[in-house]
């Protein structure tokens, strides 16, 4: 049998999604989407600055750039979990606190910052671009 979590399935329509994925089941507030866009943009600035500091051997601003990533990451995660509480128990949502811990580790363990940075970059790309069926898995829950 083909495993839909690995992306070997037909495209998923909104009718195929469980009820908690429907947009009407999200909590919202005016400007939420634009706030997320702004936070994500600033978060990416932090990612670029940390990468530039590591590649350019400019450690002076790396901790501040990592702190920017940490603060914006906490904001993004907080809004997402508030908006859709089930996100906290899905694979993609469970991964975020691990990423935040990794970013914090880059600040307090500078000797490991480069390795942690690249690990987080690759793992984040894999998780965020994996098929929806994989990202929305709920570990420990039977189908």
């Amino acid at each position: 049998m083909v495993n839909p979590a690995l992306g070997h399935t037909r495209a998923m329509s909104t009718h195929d999604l469980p009820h908690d994925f429907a947009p009407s089941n999200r909590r919202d507030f005016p400007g939420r989407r634009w706030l997320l866009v702004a936070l994500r943009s600033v978060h990416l600035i932090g990612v670029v600055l940390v990468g530039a500091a590591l590649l350019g051997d400019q450690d002076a601003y790396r901790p501040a750039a990592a702190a920017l990533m940490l603060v914006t990451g906490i904001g993004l995660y907080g809004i997402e979990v508030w908006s859709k509480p089930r996100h906290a128990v899905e694979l993609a949502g469970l991964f975020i606190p691990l990423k935040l811990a990794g970013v914090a580790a880059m600040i307090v363990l500078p000797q490991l910052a480069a390795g942690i940075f690249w690990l987080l970059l690759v793992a984040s790309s894999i998780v965020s671009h994996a098929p929806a069926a994989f990202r929305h898995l709920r570990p420990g829950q039977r189908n």
Side-chain angles (χ1 to χ4, degrees):
M1 178 167 181
V2 176
N3 186 345
L6 298 176
H8 304 291
T9 185
R10 64 179 171 75
M12 189 180 276
S13 76
T14 55
H15 300 291
D16 295 330
L17 295 173
H19 72 281
D20 56 305
F21 294 125
S24 62
N25 288 327
R26 284 184 177 262
R27 290 163 54 183
D28 206 0
F29 59 86
R32 181 187 66 85
R33 179 72 176 172
W34 283 111
L35 178 58
L36 289 172
V37 167
L39 282 171
R40 189 164 287 112
S41 297
V42 174
H43 188 74
L44 288 173
I45 290 169
V47 172
V48 170
L49 289 174
V50 168
L54 291 169
L55 291 174
D57 213 17
Q58 298 292 321
D59 202 50
Y61 64 86
R62 184 198 43 79
L68 182 65
M69 287 173 56
L70 185 60
V71 169
T72 55
I74 290 169
L76 288 162
Y77 184 62
I79 292 169
E80 189 63 31
V81 170
W82 175 84
S83 177
K84 188 179 87 168
R86 292 221 157 185
H87 181 69
V89 297
E90 295 171 349
L91 190 63
L94 292 168
F95 180 61
I96 294 171
L98 295 174
K99 291 186 346 181
L100 294 171
V103 173
M106 288 192 317
I107 297 169
V108 298
L109 300 169
Q111 68 277 17
L112 300 177
I116 294 170
F117 175 80
W118 293 111
L119 177 67
L120 290 175
L121 187 72
V122 171
S124 296
S125 178
I126 291 168
V127 172
S128 66
H129 295 286
F134 176 81
R135 291 189 324 268
H136 298 297
L137 281 174
R138 295 187 189 136
Q141 181 179 357
R142 296 192 186 273
N143 292 339

